[in-house]
Amino acid sequence: MTILGEMLIGSRAVKGSNGPIHAINPATNETLEPVFAGGTEADVDSAVELAWDAFASYRETAPEARATFLETCADEILALGDELIERAVAESGLPRARIEGERGRTMGQLRLFASVVRAGNYLDARIDPAMPDREPMPRADLRMRMIPLGPVAVFGASNFPLAFSVAGGDTASALAAGCPVVVKAHSAHPGTSELVGRALQKAVAKCNLHEGVFSLIFGAGNVVGQALVAHPRIKAVGFTGSRSGGTALMNIAANRPEPIPVYAEMSSINPVFLMPQALKARGEAIAKGFIGSLQMGAGQFCTNPGLVFAQEGEDLDNFLKVAAEELSQAGTQTMLTPGIHKAYCSGMEQLKGNSRVTEVATGQDSDQPNQCQAGLFVTTAEDFLADESLSAEVFGSTSLVVKCKSVDDFARVADQMEGQLTATLQLDDGDHDATRKLLPVLEYRAGRILCNGYPTGVEVCHAMVHGGPYPATSDSRTTSVGSLAIQRYVRPVCYQDLPQELMPESLKDGNPQGIRRLVDGQDQR
Amino acid sequence: MTILGEMLIGSRAVKGSNGPIHAINPATNETLEPVFAGGTEADVDSAVELAWDAFASYRETAPEARATFLETCADEILALGDELIERAVAESGLPRARIEGERGRTMGQLRLFASVVRAGNYLDARIDPAMPDREPMPRADLRMRMIPLGPVAVFGASNFPLAFSVAGGDTASALAAGCPVVVKAHSAHPGTSELVGRALQKAVAKCNLHEGVFSLIFGAGNVVGQALVAHPRIKAVGFTGSRSGGTALMNIAANRPEPIPVYAEMSSINPVFLMPQALKARGEAIAKGFIGSLQMGAGQFCTNPGLVFAQEGEDLDNFLKVAAEELSQAGTQTMLTPGIHKAYCSGMEQLKGNSRVTEVATGQDSDQPNQCQAGLFVTTAEDFLADESLSAEVFGSTSLVVKCKSVDDFARVADQMEGQLTATLQLDDGDHDATRKLLPVLEYRAGRILCNGYPTGVEVCHAMVHGGPYPATSDSRTTSVGSLAIQRYVRPVCYQDLPQELMPESLKDGNPQGIRRLVDGQDQR
């Protein structure tokens, strides 16, 4: 398979006409071949109408067929071999080991959702049997299941060119739910996108599905994205990216004649709370772990620990000393795109120029292109509360330590914070009482609370929540990572006195699919 | 207990200052005592801040305590005795038997949610145990549960003065989820609202809960409603009413600094499909049942059958003949408010004046105030598709029969319809093949599909869906009736490596609450 610079509309491969879009190797600033070009509104319309046509049959696929399709997608991605790895490394500047790991995660996500489809819990099947003799009124036979929403638009993310892009978590969960997907590729990795797109296109054909189950469109500006979200046949949107990008899509979706849900994962600074006993007992180890987390992937994670709360005093001074030493020894890393690098430098400049903020340390410098020079800064609780700009995400390896007078300040300051994906606690047994007061505030502000670890590294499993109150996401009721993500793309339908012959398999008498069902309020299988 | 014309802000009773609001007996157009007055933005702020204060402790109530509170609410409503029934009859014009039934339903809903809270399924508890030896990376201990969103604003509906008003389904499900509630009373039944509000206020006190768990505010214009939805401490909205009212709240919510979910149940014309074999075999019985459903409660149900599809020919002619006879014998019924009556008359006039529409029959006339004179009209499929106004809801006992050339037209026309709460099929065994083609279209357009019944009468149970695609509701992923409604007011939180001592009860080792939990992807109890 080679990269031809083509969009994929159903089973066709199509050259875009809105160009050029050049992939750039951020490690060298060299332009990568071939040249790509974006789609038009007509291309979007073709892809979405195909998706709509495909919806009729795809939503009716049996669980085993849909699960096999998801697994075939994973197999076809693996079959792309080294070409995928090399291209993704070249387009992202990320190390080979990271990209290989991310491919594994991408395949793992597809397989997890295959298991979710087979298990059938996500259907939330419910049966309230008829009670013909009930007084004063008989009860009808009532059954409920979840059905897919319809075609879904997915926006590839820059920072996970595999795991949150063309075949990433949004696509996998939408396909698992029974929704055809139209992906808008991220222009930072069009070649990676085309390769993965061709793998999915192949899986669609191998599994004899309608070609419209998957399409891939390029677009450099906003035309393609806006047309996708505004298209009347699109019924939900998955997005990972900036706050401005996400809120723009939310506005388009809310102002459609038929508003639709947008699942945008946007902005988070992921506070870390250094509880006093832990800081005293393990300050040095915590500092080293923290700098490791901060440096990971040049800080280009939604869960990068961008904020640290600690009580002022000797223990914090020691922590900062170790952290500064670690950071100043840290080499630079290539950032994903020149644009992200530029925004990072601008954010760093703003922090350096802010009179409420003191620089603790910076990482080593480099004269290579698009290098992330890590930064650690310190401020006080009062200054943090007084200056909104200090709560803004700086996407990259930078973090701000907020000195508090006492541990009681943690909850007071946290209560003023915007919604977050994560909140981290470094705590020892002696910190439990103080933590107990803080926990409700953190639950209310974050989607995931973690102890004695670091927020980077998001496990793909059943209990994961990669979500949180606005602006961390557009919809705190959901997650974009883990098996619960499938719930974003379904809605309930109730069947009253439907004849068995017409009943969906999942609700038939005798439970032919062997799934969990709530019968008269009790679990049955 | 007597009605004093007071709002309830926490444990206080407060006279409004934006008045007057007069309750009117629609059967006589007489003004009912006492006079009420609406709240100010300051009243809204007081109630919401109290709700916020209450949230900290209310969300932490043990399942048994919260369930007992819901049951106490039901008991206190019953304890209001005949005063409640008489006042609700006077304020709504609805018959006593209907109001007594609705009180039973209201109490039943509160008790259903008590059982839901005790069962704990709604928490969707999940545990992915730690795998310290996993290669290449260990897995942390990850646990997930649902937590309440925060204070909820509920808007009382005019057409269910008990079951979808102060202590109705929205309030019951929000309280069950752990969310304090601030109700904006519907101005059509302020006395009923005050009585029920005082019952809830009493239940809060009896159960030793924070006074802010429940408040009730009046408001004649839009000030109170807008202030409620815009208040930064309000985290979700429950509403049943008009499309214009619901979309106005959606817009306010979407444009807040922090957008919040609005669950608005708005507009539906509930198509009924008369499949050919059923129409041939049972046309007369179907016609009688249909007119009965159309007449019920003066058609003032969200699920009133406002649209009928049938194939033209002798069988339909017979159906129309019987329906016309039934309808012309039907007496009038008092509508809920002079405003609703006026809007109904205007809708009827528009239908009568529409050249695409023919009048089949009207019910008997009356010179009493606010009487609903039922109406039945007929049009063709092409005329229906050509005139959008024919898809608009006329709230009351009127319905439009759409004559189709063939049964194949059903799906074609239905595919053009907006979202609906229900779709009804009258079908016999010989209709199964034709129904099989129609079902996917109906699933896609409606929240509930029912066979050989009528859409009026919504069972409160686990499998019910009273929801549907826009504009039937603002959020097709939910229901406002039945136990699933609790999911509207919760969101997931994940705990990573949280010490057992700090762990929420529902996620603790050993499952102390004995609830269903998904452990490593498998159900355990």
Side-chain angles (χ1 to χ4, degrees):
Chain A
M1 202 173 281
T2 39
I3 302 168
L4 300 174
E6 289 173 331
M7 308 192 292
L8 307 172
I9 298 181
S11 59
R12 292 182 302 141
V14 182
K15 282 272 181 199
S17 52
N18 277 336
I21 298 170
H22 289 289
I24 290 168
N25 183 334
T28 62
N29 272 346
E30 285 171 343
T31 298
L32 298 166
E33 291 303 320
V35 65
F36 292 79
T40 60
E41 287 191 33
D43 293 323
V44 169
D45 191 58
S46 299
V48 176
E49 289 297 337
L50 267 185
W52 175 250
D53 291 345
F55 182 49
S57 55
Y58 185 60
R59 55 172 287 202
E60 297 294 342
T61 45
E64 185 55 36
R66 202 184 295 165
T68 301
F69 167 56
L70 293 168
E71 290 164 343
T72 306
C73 290
D75 295 343
E76 292 298 328
I77 290 168
L78 187 62
L80 292 168
D82 231 36
E83 186 181 6
L84 176 67
I85 302 297
E86 282 165 10
R87 181 74 187 196
V89 167
E91 287 186 333
S92 70
L94 293 168
R96 186 181 172 97
R98 149 73 193 269
I99 291 292
E100 285 177 341
E102 198 180 320
R103 178 178 62 183
R105 174 174 162 179
T106 306
M107 293 162 54
Q109 287 178 156
L110 287 159
R111 289 179 178 142
L112 173 69
F113 282 109
S115 77
V116 166
V117 169
R118 286 197 181 95
N121 289 351
Y122 81 98
L123 295 168
D124 198 4
R126 298 171 177 219
I127 299 178
D128 289 313
M131 299 168 76
D133 302 326
R134 189 181 65 172
E135 294 292 344
M137 292 273 288
R139 182 170 83 181
D141 178 275
L142 291 151
R143 304 185 186 215
M144 194 206 89
R145 66 163 177 167
M146 294 289 171
I147 67 168
L149 288 179
V152 170
V154 170
F155 289 74
S158 65
N159 62 337
F160 280 90
L162 297 175
F164 262 79
S165 190
V166 176
D170 287 328
T171 297
S173 53
L175 290 176
C179 300
V181 170
V182 179
V183 174
K184 170 171 174 322
H186 197 286
S187 297
H189 52 267
T192 306
S193 297
E194 184 184 334
L195 285 172
V196 175
R198 286 185 187 274
L200 264 57
Q201 197 185 45
K202 211 165 162 182
V204 169
K206 269 200 179 173
C207 294
N208 296 311
L209 299 175
H210 187 295
E211 57 167 326
V213 166
F214 172 79
S215 288
L216 174 70
I217 301 186
F218 297 117
N222 295 330
V223 174
V224 164
Q226 285 173 359
L228 253 182
V229 177
H231 198 292
R233 294 293 197 193
I234 288 291
K235 298 302 175 187
V237 177
F239 170 89
T240 298
S242 69
R243 183 168 179 172
S244 59
T247 50
L249 299 186
M250 289 168 71
N251 285 335
I252 296 170
N255 289 304
R256 290 165 44 118
E258 179 197 11
I260 55 171
V262 171
Y263 303 107
E265 193 264 86
M266 298 184 286
S267 167
S268 184
I269 51 176
N270 304 297
V272 178
F273 297 86
L274 307 180
M275 303 306 285
Q277 298 302 319
L279 185 62
K280 181 183 291 293
R282 305 184 278 116
E284 186 176 330
I286 294 171
K288 288 180 176 172
F290 163 66
I291 296 298
S293 173
L294 183 64
Q295 284 274 98
M296 194 181 289
Q300 299 167 117
F301 291 114
C302 318
T303 54
N304 184 59
L307 199 62
V308 178
F309 290 91
Q311 191 175 311
E312 61 187 15
E314 197 184 332
D315 298 330
L316 177 56
D317 295 342
N318 289 337
F319 170 89
L320 288 172
K321 188 162 156 281
V322 176
E325 282 166 14
E326 288 287 312
L327 195 76
S328 55
Q329 289 161 25
T332 61
Q333 292 175 72
T334 308
M335 297 195 85
L336 290 158
T337 70
I340 286 173
H341 178 250
K342 196 175 156 196
Y344 177 73
C345 293
S346 156
M348 284 284 279
E349 286 310 312
Q350 279 182 33
L351 280 172
K352 287 179 180 178
N354 189 320
S355 62
R356 298 178 189 272
V357 167
T358 310
E359 181 179 308
V360 177
T362 55
Q364 290 173 13
D365 204 357
S366 162
D367 55 6
Q368 295 298 302
N370 304 314
Q371 296 299 296
C372 179
Q373 184 184 19
L376 185 63
F377 301 86
V378 70
T379 188
T380 65
E382 297 320 312
D383 279 327
F384 178 74
L385 289 176
D387 185 348
E388 265 190 16
S389 77
L390 297 180
S391 294
E393 183 179 15
V394 179
F395 192 69
S397 289
T398 186
S399 194
L400 177 65
V401 178
V402 179
K403 282 189 183 184
C404 298
K405 294 269 180 228
S406 82
V407 73
D408 292 337
D409 276 353
F410 290 5
R412 186 174 64 90
V413 181
D415 196 39
Q416 303 296 315
M417 278 191 322
E418 292 188 310
Q420 305 289 339
L421 292 171
T422 69
T424 300
L425 293 153
Q426 292 290 342
L427 83 174
D428 279 0
D429 286 355
D431 294 312
H432 283 190
D433 286 345
T435 303
R436 209 168 269 119
K437 288 180 203 158
L438 186 55
L439 263 179
V441 180
L442 302 186
E443 284 175 331
Y444 193 72
R445 297 277 158 197
R448 177 165 57 114
I449 295 168
L450 56 147
C451 298
N452 296 332
Y454 294 95
T456 45
V458 179
E459 183 75 32
V460 181
C461 60
H462 299 287
M464 177 49 64
V465 177
H466 189 65
Y470 186 89
T473 76
S474 55
D475 191 334
S476 73
R477 297 163 294 174
T478 63
T479 172
S480 61
V481 176
S483 63
L484 189 68
I486 194 173
Q487 303 295 342
R488 298 179 296 172
Y489 300 116
V490 295
R491 67 176 181 85
V493 173
C494 171
Y495 305 86
Q496 180 172 324
D497 286 334
L498 191 69
Q500 278 295 310
E501 203 187 307
L502 298 172
M503 192 73 80
E505 285 296 298
S506 54
L507 295 177
K508 274 192 175 150
D509 287 350
N511 197 4
Q513 293 183 338
I515 60 175
R516 180 178 82 200
R517 312 199 292 189
L518 194 74
V519 179
D520 241 341
Q522 302 296 321
D523 285 334
Q524 285 191 14
R525 200 177 277 277
Chain B
M1 202 172 282
T2 39
I3 303 168
L4 300 174
E6 290 174 331
M7 308 192 292
L8 307 171
I9 298 181
S11 59
R12 291 182 303 140
V14 183
K15 282 272 181 198
S17 50
N18 277 335
I21 298 172
H22 289 290
I24 289 169
N25 183 335
T28 62
N29 271 345
E30 286 171 344
T31 298
L32 298 166
E33 291 303 320
V35 65
F36 292 79
T40 60
E41 288 192 33
D43 293 324
V44 169
D45 192 59
S46 299
V48 176
E49 288 297 339
L50 267 185
W52 175 250
D53 291 345
F55 183 49
S57 56
Y58 185 60
R59 56 172 287 202
E60 298 292 343
T61 45
E64 185 54 36
R66 202 183 296 166
T68 300
F69 167 55
L70 294 168
E71 290 164 343
T72 307
C73 290
D75 295 343
E76 292 297 329
I77 290 168
L78 187 62
L80 293 168
D82 230 37
E83 186 181 6
L84 176 66
I85 301 297
E86 283 165 11
R87 181 73 187 195
V89 167
E91 287 185 333
S92 69
L94 293 169
R96 186 181 174 98
R98 150 71 194 270
I99 290 293
E100 285 178 342
E102 197 180 320
R103 178 179 63 183
R105 174 174 163 178
T106 306
M107 293 162 54
Q109 287 177 157
L110 287 158
R111 290 179 178 141
L112 174 70
F113 282 109
S115 77
V116 166
V117 169
R118 286 197 181 95
N121 289 350
Y122 82 99
L123 295 168
D124 199 3
R126 299 171 177 219
I127 299 178
D128 289 313
M131 300 167 76
D133 301 327
R134 189 182 65 173
E135 294 293 343
M137 293 275 286
R139 181 170 83 180
D141 178 274
L142 291 151
R143 306 186 185 215
M144 195 205 89
R145 66 161 177 167
M146 293 289 170
I147 67 168
L149 288 178
V152 170
V154 170
F155 288 74
S158 65
N159 62 337
F160 280 90
L162 298 175
F164 263 79
S165 190
V166 176
D170 287 328
T171 297
S173 53
L175 289 175
C179 299
V181 170
V182 180
V183 174
K184 159 142 178 357
H186 198 285
S187 296
H189 52 267
T192 306
S193 297
E194 184 184 333
L195 285 173
V196 175
R198 286 186 188 274
L200 264 57
Q201 196 185 47
K202 209 164 161 183
V204 168
K206 269 199 179 174
C207 294
N208 295 311
L209 299 175
H210 187 295
E211 56 167 326
V213 166
F214 171 80
S215 287
L216 173 71
I217 301 186
F218 297 116
N222 296 328
V223 173
V224 164
Q226 285 173 359
L228 253 181
V229 177
H231 197 291
R233 294 293 197 193
I234 288 291
K235 298 303 175 186
V237 178
F239 170 89
T240 298
S242 69
R243 184 166 178 174
S244 59
T247 51
L249 299 186
M250 289 169 72
N251 285 335
I252 295 170
N255 290 304
R256 289 165 46 119
E258 179 197 12
I260 55 171
V262 172
Y263 303 107
E265 193 264 88
M266 298 183 286
S267 167
S268 184
I269 50 175
N270 304 296
V272 178
F273 298 86
L274 306 181
M275 304 307 284
Q277 298 302 320
L279 185 61
K280 182 184 288 296
R282 305 183 278 115
E284 186 177 331
I286 294 170
K288 288 180 178 173
F290 163 66
I291 296 300
S293 173
L294 183 64
Q295 284 274 98
M296 194 181 288
Q300 300 168 115
F301 290 114
C302 319
T303 55
N304 184 57
L307 199 61
V308 178
F309 291 91
Q311 191 177 310
E312 61 188 13
E314 198 185 332
D315 298 332
L316 177 55
D317 295 342
N318 290 336
F319 170 88
L320 288 173
K321 188 163 156 280
V322 176
E325 282 166 14
E326 289 286 313
L327 196 75
S328 54
Q329 288 161 24
T332 61
Q333 291 176 71
T334 307
M335 298 195 83
L336 290 158
T337 70
I340 285 172
H341 178 250
K342 194 176 157 197
Y344 176 73
C345 293
S346 156
M348 283 283 279
E349 286 309 312
Q350 278 183 34
L351 281 173
K352 287 180 180 179
N354 189 320
S355 61
R356 297 178 190 273
V357 167
T358 310
E359 181 181 308
V360 177
T362 55
Q364 291 174 11
D365 204 357
S366 163
D367 54 5
Q368 295 299 301
N370 304 313
Q371 296 300 295
C372 179
Q373 183 185 19
L376 184 63
F377 301 86
V378 69
T379 189
T380 66
E382 297 321 313
D383 279 328
F384 178 74
L385 288 176
D387 185 347
E388 264 190 17
S389 78
L390 297 180
S391 294
E393 183 179 15
V394 178
F395 193 68
S397 288
T398 187
S399 193
L400 176 65
V401 178
V402 179
K403 281 190 183 183
C404 298
K405 294 268 181 230
S406 82
V407 73
D408 291 338
D409 276 353
F410 290 6
R412 186 172 64 88
V413 181
D415 197 39
Q416 303 296 316
M417 278 188 325
E418 293 188 308
Q420 304 290 339
L421 292 171
T422 68
T424 300
L425 293 153
Q426 292 291 342
L427 82 174
D428 278 1
D429 287 355
D431 294 313
H432 284 190
D433 285 347
T435 304
R436 209 169 268 117
K437 288 180 201 157
L438 185 57
L439 263 179
V441 179
L442 302 186
E443 282 174 333
Y444 194 73
R445 297 277 158 198
R448 177 165 57 113
I449 295 168
L450 56 147
C451 297
N452 297 330
Y454 294 95
T456 45
V458 180
E459 183 76 32
V460 180
C461 60
H462 299 287
M464 177 49 63
V465 178
H466 189 65
Y470 185 90
T473 77
S474 55
D475 190 335
S476 72
R477 297 163 295 175
T478 62
T479 173
S480 62
V481 176
S483 64
L484 188 68
I486 194 174
Q487 303 295 341
R488 298 179 296 172
Y489 300 116
V490 296
R491 68 175 181 86
V493 173
C494 171
Y495 305 87
Q496 180 172 325
D497 287 334
L498 190 71
Q500 278 295 309
E501 204 187 306
L502 299 172
M503 191 72 79
E505 285 296 297
S506 54
L507 296 176
K508 272 192 175 152
D509 288 350
N511 196 4
Q513 293 183 337
I515 59 174
R516 180 178 83 200
R517 311 199 293 190
L518 194 74
V519 180
D520 241 341
Q522 303 296 321
D523 284 334
Q524 284 191 14
R525 200 176 276 275

